[in-house]
């Protein structure tokens, strides 16, 4: 988590995948790292979770942590499941794939909540609105490295989007 949770003018961002051990903690780590490098940490609060209960309480997959560590990012997040109250708390709920998006949409109680859900990868430059972060769980280390690259680029696009939408100058 970064930022000051009790401050009212910060952007609250939640990354969501299925297990919360591969893609969403990788995205959380990459986005927090970008915020630190660009000096925007105090503007955001960031967390991640999974739609499933499969890995609650676990650290990220060793392959996710190894890949992040190579880029100087230490992942200490422990998996948790998405809960309905997250809709109220967070401003942006960023799904890694269309299945996560659909599952979140089914939990939303109204249009205001549904509008907070986005496919994260649509913010990556050159990607379409339906682009997904591929699930690396049954893959190799190379797949985890690809995920890291994708979530890093999508993080840059997402930060640009939030800052430009809100008139904040980005270096
Ligand atoms: P994630 O990857 O959703 O990116 O964390 C997965 C992790 C675990 C499982 C599937 C995907 N699983 O089936 O346990």
């Amino acid at each position: 988590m970064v930022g000051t949770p009790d401050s009212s003018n910060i952007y609250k961002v939640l990354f969501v995948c299925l297990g919360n051990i591969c893609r969403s903690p990788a995205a959380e780590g990459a986005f927090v790292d970008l915020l630190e490098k660009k000096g925007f940490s105090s503007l955001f609060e960031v967390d991640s979770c999974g739609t499933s209960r499969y890995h609650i309480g676990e650290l990220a997959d060793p392959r996710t942590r190894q890949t992040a560590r190579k880029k100087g990012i230490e992942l200490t997040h422990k998996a948790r499941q998405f809960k309905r109250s997250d809709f109220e708390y967070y401003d942006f709920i960023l799904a890694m794939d269309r299945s996560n998006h659909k599952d979140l949409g089914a939990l939303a109680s109204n249009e205001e909540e549904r509008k907070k859900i986005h496919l994260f990868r649509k913010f990556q430059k050159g990607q379409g609105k339906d682009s997904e972060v591929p699930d690396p769980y049954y893959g190799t280390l190379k797949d985890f490295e690809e995920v890291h690259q994708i979530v890093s680029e999508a993080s840059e696009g997402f930060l640009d989007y939030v800052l430009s939408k809100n008139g904040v100058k980005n270096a």
Side-chain angles (χ1 to χ4, degrees):
M1 272 217 272
V2 296
T4 39
D6 55 353
S7 166
S8 59
N9 57 351
I10 62 169
Y11 307 107
K12 300 192 188 88
V13 180
L14 182 63
F15 294 98
V16 188
C17 60
L18 176 64
N20 193 209
I21 56 167
C22 299
R23 294 165 292 174
S24 61
E28 178 187 355
F31 189 59
V32 167
D33 184 58
L34 179 67
L35 294 176
E36 283 166 3
K37 286 184 172 141
K38 294 235 178 189
F40 288 116
S41 299
S42 61
L43 275 184
F44 288 84
E45 184 187 331
V46 187
D47 196 10
S48 66
C49 68
T51 55
S52 78
R53 302 180 47 81
Y54 302 157
H55 297 278
I56 292 174
E58 293 178 24
L59 282 171
D61 186 287
R63 297 165 294 177
T64 308
R65 283 184 284 138
Q66 185 186 334
T67 305
R69 196 173 298 123
K70 274 200 227 158
K71 307 287 178 186
I73 300 169
E74 206 57 46
L75 298 180
T76 56
H77 176 81
K78 292 209 176 125
R80 73 165 177 92
Q81 188 177 27
F82 180 84
K83 50 186 191 294
R84 274 206 153 100
S85 58
D86 288 325
F87 277 124
E88 228 176 282
Y89 190 75
Y90 288 92
D91 302 304
F92 295 97
I93 297 175
L94 302 175
M96 297 297 123
D97 64 28
R98 291 192 286 272
S99 169
N100 309 145
H101 192 288
K102 183 166 167 269
D103 290 345
L104 289 165
L107 291 169
S109 325
N110 54 51
E111 199 47 33
E112 195 190 337
E113 292 183 351
R114 225 176 315 274
K115 279 208 296 230
K116 293 183 176 184
I117 311 167
H118 304 263
L119 267 178
F120 180 45
R121 202 175 177 189
K122 77 178 181 190
F123 296 105
Q124 184 184 0
K125 282 198 182 72
Q127 293 294 319
K129 67 176 179 42
D130 290 330
S131 291
E132 303 181 295
V133 181
D135 183 352
Y137 187 60
Y138 293 105
T140 64
L141 203 52
K142 196 166 163 286
D143 299 304
F144 282 79
E145 283 163 2
E146 188 195 343
V147 164
H148 179 82
Q149 185 62 29
I150 290 169
V151 298
S152 298
E153 290 181 22
S155 289
E156 292 192 13
F158 176 64
L159 180 62
D160 286 348
Y161 167 80
V162 175
L163 297 181
S164 65
K165 211 173 146 226
N166 293 281
V168 183
K169 227 172 157 47
N170 188 7

